[in-house]
Amino acid sequence: MASVRDHYDTVLSEHYSRMFGDFEAKVAEQHALLERLGVTAGHRAATAMDLGCGSGFQSVALARLGFQVLAIDFSQRLLAELRDRACGLPVEAIAGDIRDVAKLVPTPVELAVCMGDTLSHLECEADLTRVFDGVAARLAAGGRLVLTFRDLSGELHDLDRVIPLYASDELVMTCFLEYEPRTVKVHDLIWVRQQDGWRLRKGVYRKLRLAPEAVAMRLQQAGFTVERHQAPAGMVALVGVSGGQRLS
């Protein structure tokens, strides 16, 4: 079984952004979601950290909302794509593990986001506490932590476990899910057209089956006040404020 990092490096990262369709449309979606969650820069020097930034959907949206952005991810390929996408915007790409956020970001920030199902890529639920404690140590008083993730606590059955991800004349991406008590095994199948025909790339990795209540509990244990909000289909959105302050 490959680790999440190895799976992205060897199978997924090259084609990752295509799963989401048009890049600018996805940025606009995330921009609207962040605004709906009450995210504003407040002042020109406001800094946000984007944990598990990928190719930059949230990082670009945050920069356009007026933030200086520290974008963290373990994938060098996705960080390179982010640098190209964010050219001219105040975004700094940082290679690292989001569990080490307190080391990677040495100064206080006003906002942290961890979106697009990044949380489910952690190795175990105990890692949630490590991430949340690290964020709490770096958030300024009253700073916000915005989370989105997919609720995998329920199960799909039979052929519903097969999920088409992307299709074009040159690339076909699909996956199927295999459920375990605490994790789900994601089997990625990627067909790439080459001059001599189609080539199949395949791999499998585990995602955590995170329930919203369990994530909210760990946020509260880390000192956050938590609220749940609407998110795009299939996703959960939680917003926490550090220092026990209530959300406006």
Side-chain angles (χ1 to χ4, degrees), residues 40-48 66-69 110:
T40 57
H43 57 85
R44 288 188 178 181
T47 301
F67 288 93
Q68 308 286 321
V69 183
E110 286 74 24

Side-chain angles (χ1 to χ4, degrees), residues 85-98:
R85 300 281 193 182
C87 184
L89 294 172
V91 177
E92 178 185 353
I94 301 171
D97 189 321
I98 67 170

Side-chain angles (χ1 to χ4, degrees), residues 21 32 34 51 115 199 221 234 240:
L34 288 164
L51 308 180
M115 303 175 72
R199 176 171 61 91
Q221 291 171 344

Side-chain angles (χ1 to χ4, degrees), residues 44-74:
R44 288 188 178 181
T47 301
M49 52 186 178
D50 183 3
L51 308 180
C53 60
S55 55
F57 303 124
Q58 291 81 30
S59 293
V60 172
L62 288 166
R64 291 176 181 173
L65 282 166
F67 288 93
Q68 308 286 321
V69 183
L70 305 175
I72 301 170
D73 204 284
F74 57 60

Side-chain angles (χ1 to χ4, degrees), residues 49-51 70 72 94 96-107 109 112-113 129-139:
M49 52 186 178
D50 183 3
L51 308 180
L70 305 175
I72 301 170
I94 301 171
D97 189 321
I98 67 170
R99 293 173 294 186
D100 298 325
V101 61
K103 296 179 182 178
L104 295 169
V105 180
T107 56
V109 302
V113 305
T129 296
R130 182 173 164 185
V131 172
F132 297 161
D133 285 346
V135 171
R138 288 296 171 260
L139 278 180

Side-chain angles (χ1 to χ4, degrees), residues 18-38:
R18 298 197 195 186
M19 292 190 296
F20 300 95
D22 181 75
F23 186 88
E24 283 296 326
K26 186 65 177 181
V27 170
E29 173 197 274
Q30 296 301 290
H31 189 286
L33 174 59
L34 288 164
E35 286 189 318
R36 192 159 66 248
L37 296 176

